[in-house]
């Protein structure tokens, strides 16, 4: 038996009891969701809800990061998920679009930008 709450509100704080009866046999189980326990659960539920909403569209599995290659170039990279074949990426520097000749097939979800010389605006 499960009980779902779409959004945990302050008025949901309290003691919940589930009672089971089968013929003459009965049993019950209780969970107390008050005080700090409730606040922690409420915070975690809201975080998980936001993550679920975020992951409904294209989203980052690994956020943008950088590394220096053996040739002393800089490689910017990130990993994305929940993308479609018509999805395309655009790289920006200082809020200006950078022209990139690279085509991405998104098979592994990894997007990269290799910086071999200073980018100019």
């Amino acid at each position: 038996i499960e009980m779902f709450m779409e959004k945990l509100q302050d008025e949901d704080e309290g003691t919940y009891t589930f009672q089971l009866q089968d013929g003459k046999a009965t049993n019950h189980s209780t969970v107390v969701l008050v005080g700090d326990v409730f606040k922690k659960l409420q915070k975690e539920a809201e975080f998980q809800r936001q993550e679920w909403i975020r992951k409904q569209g294209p989203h980052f599995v690994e956020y943008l990061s950088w590394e220096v290659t053996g040739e002393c170039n800089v490689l910017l990279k990130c990993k994305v998920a929940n993308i479609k074949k018509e999805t395309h990426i655009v790289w920006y520097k200082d809020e200006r679009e950078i022209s990139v000749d690279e085509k991405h097939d998104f098979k592994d979800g990894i997007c990269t930008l290799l910086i071999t010389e200073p980018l100019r605006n």
Side-chain angles (χ1 to χ4, degrees), residues 47-63 80-83:
F47 173 77
Q48 291 296 334
R49 179 180 173 79
Q50 292 300 320
E51 282 295 289
W52 182 84
I53 291 169
R54 181 179 72 84
K55 290 180 180 180
Q56 296 312 297
H59 62 275
F60 291 97
V61 175
E62 295 173 12
Y63 288 96
V80 294
N82 201 23
I83 47 182

Side-chain angles (χ1 to χ4, degrees), residues 2-62:
E2 296 176 316
M3 182 173 113
F4 292 97
M5 294 180 186
E6 189 169 319
K7 189 165 183 174
L8 206 54
Q9 304 290 332
D10 289 343
E11 58 267 14
D12 296 321
E13 184 174 12
T15 302
Y16 291 83
T17 301
F18 172 77
Q19 185 173 1
L20 178 65
Q21 184 173 359
D22 183 8
K24 293 182 182 181
T26 61
N27 206 337
H28 72 275
S29 180
T30 301
V31 64
V32 179
L33 301 176
V34 296
D36 290 343
V37 171
F38 178 75
K39 297 293 183 206
K40 183 177 178 182
L41 174 62
Q42 194 175 33
K43 187 176 179 180
E44 178 63 22
E46 184 58 29
F47 173 77
Q48 291 296 334
R49 179 180 173 79
Q50 292 300 320
E51 282 295 289
W52 182 84
I53 291 169
R54 181 179 72 84
K55 290 180 180 180
Q56 296 312 297
H59 62 275
F60 291 97
V61 175
E62 295 173 12

